[in-house]
Amino acid sequence: MWWKNATVYQIYPASFKDSNGDGIGDIPGIHSQLDYIQSLGVDAIWLCPIYDSPQHDMGYDVSNYEAIYPPYGTVEDVEKLIAACHARGLRILMDLVVNHTSDEHAWFQESRSSLSSPKRDWYIWRPPRLDAAGQRRPPNNWRSCFGGSAWAWDEATGEYYLHLFAAQQPDLNWENPATRAAIYAAALEFWLRKGIDGFRVDTANTYSKHTSFPDAPVSNPAHEYQYASPLFCNGPRIHDYLREMAAILKKYNAMTVGELPLTPNPADVLAYVSAQESQLDMVFQFDIVELGTGPDMRYHTTPRNWTLPDLKARVQATQALMDGTTDGWSTAFLENHDQGRSISRWGCETTPSLWSASAKLLCILVTTLSGTLFLYQGQEIGMVNAPLSWDIDTEYKDVESKNYYAFVRASSSSSSSSSALAAAKSALQHLARDHARLPMQWDGTPHAGFTVPDATPWMRAHDNHPDINVKRQTLDAHSVLSFWKKMLSIRKAYPDVFARGVFAHVDPEDERLFMFEKRGEGRRVLVVLNFRDEVQEVRLEGLLGGRYELLVSNNVEIGEGEGMSMHVLQPYEARVYLV
Ligand code: NOJ
């Protein structure tokens, strides 16, 4: 199993590297940066969706699984990329988006063409409900993940179709075996035959719905549509479907990492990733990345409302799966294309030195955790969120951000609207998915070297790119980038303790320091993280017993191999000791 000790580098194709000056990243652009990717010390890349798509949700609305979105390139470009990765010993994963298609997919076009279409049942159609006044209403009260009803009315055939995400993303009906067979042929086997090494499986726990479509409990009486995720995640037949899909993947020896929203209970997670179950090889749990998000609506929250014990508990929850008592496996990650940047959420950007220290502290945190490690493009150079001064209406592009902002604007009265919009803006500046989608910062030239100077990039490059970029950090032995490379090689050198060790808290309630132990085969490490922007003292003697030898630190002032001499931790100082 190549993936247990592996690090996977996640690429957001639109924002990684533009090779032809149209302002949109592309496959040849990714190809041109394989030397850089490999220099990080990663083992595989994962490409977010590159299939043909009208891009209502950045390619998570696929209109043809067997074609590439033209601005990204061609199927042949992908074949070349697969060959080039393999020639270097890099694996390549693609995104598998099969809960829904685009409404422009031929299957849906056929499905919506008439009530008697042979593909009618490939999607989820239901007649309207009538309210007390005899008015047509959606079949139930579910709110879609992007706001509004989860059902869209189709005038031509007089029924609603289900869309857990945007109206342009109709949900496939997995109950129908013919639909499943078509999904496996087009979305999986077409690409597996081309030699890809596996898939990141989008919303892996939503394919099976309760076919009676019960109403969600009314958690917010002021809203017409209600939070319904617990009703559509982990449905009755989900494990059967995943087992069926895994049987196909197995023929190609392909690896899977499933996205697993709304599954906080470790026993439920284990049902997906237990080796004996043969469903998914690992999952992305949401415990850490959801810290600080609103419970009913993700952006209905205030920035930095979390405490260190909260964060510790969530780290522990994801590590528990790999405590040596289960046959399950999971992942370690702090960022992806759906999250604000980790430094902006849990680190500090107020000065360059705190930015650098906290970027390295977060690097130490995630690279010392068990599970397959996922590194998101730009995380390795410490990219941060766009500033509060950026206008939501013009600079933010994501359907989720736009819909939320429009919802707040529409639902607040004129007297409350400026404070409601300010609160929404502040939450979006902290958590919106847009931040991770800003162009990759290659250098200090216009548009951060992501595209040619006279192009208009599809998203504006961060104004800080003259300071934070790959070129500059490659030349600096103490940069965030150099630190990531170092940590990835240390992780490789001690796989038993970092990638596969057993995690244990030192003091889960301590509000100032995050300390944990990782236990490997015959050795242990102690990780000490100062999560504050102030100096702190730490007493290590007697904590875990044994002698401590410093393995690595983000403080250049203390040399490696230096032992217990320094007990004062600088702001955001992080250390790893061999015990
Ligand atoms: C999860 C993906 O990561 C996200 O970007 C997308 O919007 C939804 N699934 C819907 O496919």
Side-chain angles (χ1 to χ4, degrees):
M1 273 174 261
W2 63 269
W3 34 263
K4 281 214 165 168
N5 297 335
T7 302
V8 181
Y9 186 72
Q10 182 189 350
I11 295 177
Y12 200 65
S15 306
F16 191 61
K17 179 78 186 164
D18 176 19
S19 74
N20 61 0
D22 65 357
I24 303 172
D26 46 44
I27 313 285
I30 297 169
H31 201 138
S32 73
Q33 295 303 326
L34 290 179
D35 280 346
Y36 168 70
I37 293 168
Q38 200 157 32
S39 78
L40 301 172
V42 302
D43 306 278
I45 58 173
W46 148 31
L47 306 182
C48 275
I50 53 175
Y51 315 103
D52 204 4
S53 161
Q55 306 287 332
H56 290 287
D57 183 21
M58 292 305 294
Y60 284 94
D61 47 330
V62 180
S63 55
N64 185 349
Y65 291 105
E66 300 172 27
I68 300 300
Y69 177 52
Y72 291 164
T74 61
V75 171
E76 202 190 336
D77 290 331
V78 182
E79 288 167 342
K80 286 189 196 146
L81 182 67
I82 296 171
C85 287
H86 287 169
R88 294 162 176 266
L90 276 176
R91 319 250 178 178
I92 173 165
L93 312 177
M94 288 175 81
D95 221 296
L96 181 65
V97 191
V98 289
N99 174 70
H100 43 265
T101 66
S102 159
D103 62 343
E104 294 183 25
H105 195 292
W107 297 343
F108 187 72
Q109 295 290 320
E110 224 178 300
S111 182
R112 83 182 320 172
S113 66
S114 78
L115 289 170
S116 58
S117 156
K119 292 205 171 57
R120 184 65 174 181
D121 188 42
W122 284 35
Y123 292 83
I124 301 172
W125 294 95
R126 287 289 184 279
R129 278 203 295 208
L130 295 181
D131 66 14
Q135 293 294 310
R136 156 171 74 69
R137 313 292 313 156
N140 68 18
N141 68 353
W142 293 6
R143 188 174 75 215
S144 98
C145 299
F146 294 154
S149 172
W151 298 90
W153 174 244
D154 183 58
E155 192 64 53
T157 54
E159 284 190 329
Y160 283 91
Y161 65 85
L162 179 73
H163 60 89
L164 296 184
F165 295 89
Q168 298 88 352
Q169 293 167 293
D171 277 53
L172 284 157
N173 178 18
W174 277 68
E175 296 286 322
N176 182 335
T179 316
R180 300 204 300 276
I183 294 171
Y184 301 151
L188 280 80
E189 295 209 79
F190 180 83
W191 291 104
L192 289 166
R193 279 201 303 271
K194 295 198 183 296
I196 63 155
D197 300 284
F199 287 108
R200 177 269 188 181
V201 186
D202 189 55
T203 59
N205 59 348
T206 55
Y207 312 153
S208 166
K209 279 89 178 175
H210 293 272
T211 50
S212 60
F213 292 97
D215 271 331
V218 177
S219 49
N220 196 334
H223 295 162
E224 191 170 2
Y225 304 111
Q226 302 294 324
Y227 173 73
S229 307
L231 287 171
F232 56 69
C233 290
N234 309 314
R237 296 182 65 193
I238 187 64
H239 295 293
D240 298 339
Y241 297 153
L242 290 175
R243 244 179 254 119
E244 185 177 85
M245 193 161 85
I248 291 168
L249 292 153
K250 201 170 171 197
K251 290 195 279 177
Y252 300 86
N253 196 21
M255 161 276 201
T256 50
V257 49
E259 189 196 26
L260 203 66
L262 262 150
T263 312
N265 181 346
D268 296 337
V269 181
L270 189 60
Y272 288 89
V273 294
S274 148
Q276 179 192 313
E277 274 291 326
S278 300
Q279 294 180 32
L280 295 165
D281 291 319
M282 66 194 88
V283 288
F284 293 123
Q285 293 163 266
F286 275 62
D287 307 68
I288 298 174
V289 291
E290 281 202 336
L291 179 60
T293 61
D296 178 44
M297 288 195 223
R298 183 178 153 80
Y299 301 121
H300 194 74
T301 187
T302 48
R304 292 192 177 257
N305 56 6
W306 53 277
T307 67
L308 192 55
D310 291 340
L311 177 63
K312 293 179 187 180
R314 285 166 183 253
V315 170
Q316 154 81 43
T318 66
Q319 294 293 291
L321 232 113
M322 297 162 288
D323 67 356
T325 67
T326 80
D327 67 343
W329 188 249
S330 196
T331 56
F333 71 102
L334 293 179
E335 290 190 16
N336 62 38
H337 63 293
D338 291 335
Q339 307 295 334
R341 291 289 185 174
S342 56
I343 300 174
S344 304
R345 295 183 67 180
W346 301 297
C348 182
E349 302 169 49
T350 50
T351 68
S353 70
L354 292 176
W355 161 77
S356 166
S358 66
K360 293 172 186 170
L361 171 140
L362 291 169
C363 169
I364 288 190
L365 169 60
V366 74
T367 55
T368 56
L369 293 178
S370 290
T372 299
L373 177 64
F374 284 78
L375 167 61
Y376 181 69
Q377 70 180 46
Q379 185 178 1
E380 76 276 22
I381 54 168
M383 282 177 65
V384 298
N385 284 2
L388 195 58
S389 56
W390 281 27
D391 179 51
I392 306 276
D393 291 319
T394 53
E395 306 292 3
Y396 287 52
K397 308 288 176 208
D398 176 29
V399 55
E400 189 185 46
S401 318
K402 294 230 171 252
N403 285 2
Y404 180 70
Y405 205 56
F407 165 82
V408 173
R409 192 175 260 145
S411 51
S412 42
S413 66
S414 51
S415 59
S416 67
S417 92
S418 68
S419 61
L421 280 176
K425 184 173 187 191
S426 137
L428 288 167
Q429 194 273 328
H430 193 58
L431 295 171
R433 311 196 300 178
D434 303 80
H435 300 293
R437 303 174 181 191
L438 266 50
M440 176 73 183
Q441 294 169 205
W442 294 104
D443 57 38
T445 64
H447 314 311
F450 157 71
T451 184
V452 293
D454 58 357
T456 307
W458 79 277
M459 275 198 89
R460 171 177 168 184
H462 201 297
D463 313 280
N464 68 14
H465 71 266
D467 298 319
I468 300 179
N469 65 60
V470 171
K471 189 171 178 192
R472 189 168 167 171
Q473 293 192 26
T474 304
L475 304 171
D476 174 1
H478 296 301
S479 67
V480 173
L481 176 60
S482 300
F483 195 78
W484 264 96
K485 292 180 184 173
K486 178 174 175 173
M487 284 308 299
L488 291 182
S489 76
I490 291 178
R491 182 175 170 91
K492 274 255 145 70
Y494 300 84
D496 60 310
V497 85
F498 294 126
R500 303 193 304 268
V502 175
F503 173 98
H505 278 305
V506 170
D507 179 356
E509 298 309 323
D510 186 332
E511 304 256 348
R512 308 164 316 129
L513 284 175
F514 190 171
M515 291 198 277
F516 57 87
E517 176 200 23
K518 289 296 297 292
R519 192 175 301 224
E521 286 150 21
R523 54 187 166 196
R524 291 180 299 162
V525 297
L526 173 69
V527 179
V528 183
L529 310 169
N530 175 9
F531 258 88
R532 293 246 172 129
D533 59 2
E534 59 200 21
V535 168
Q536 290 197 59
E537 285 199 356
V538 58
R539 299 250 161 269
L540 300 180
E541 293 92 343
L543 263 186
L544 299 183
R547 273 175 13 101
Y548 299 82
E549 186 193 325
L550 187 68
L551 185 61
V552 62
S553 160
N554 63 354
N555 181 351
V556 291
E557 303 291 312
I558 52 171
E560 278 168 46
E562 201 167 330
M564 295 293 298
S565 53
M566 292 183 71
H567 299 298
V568 176
L569 297 173
Q570 295 305 309
Y572 290 102
E573 183 166 343
R575 301 181 187 181
V576 184
Y577 292 99
L578 270 176
V579 187

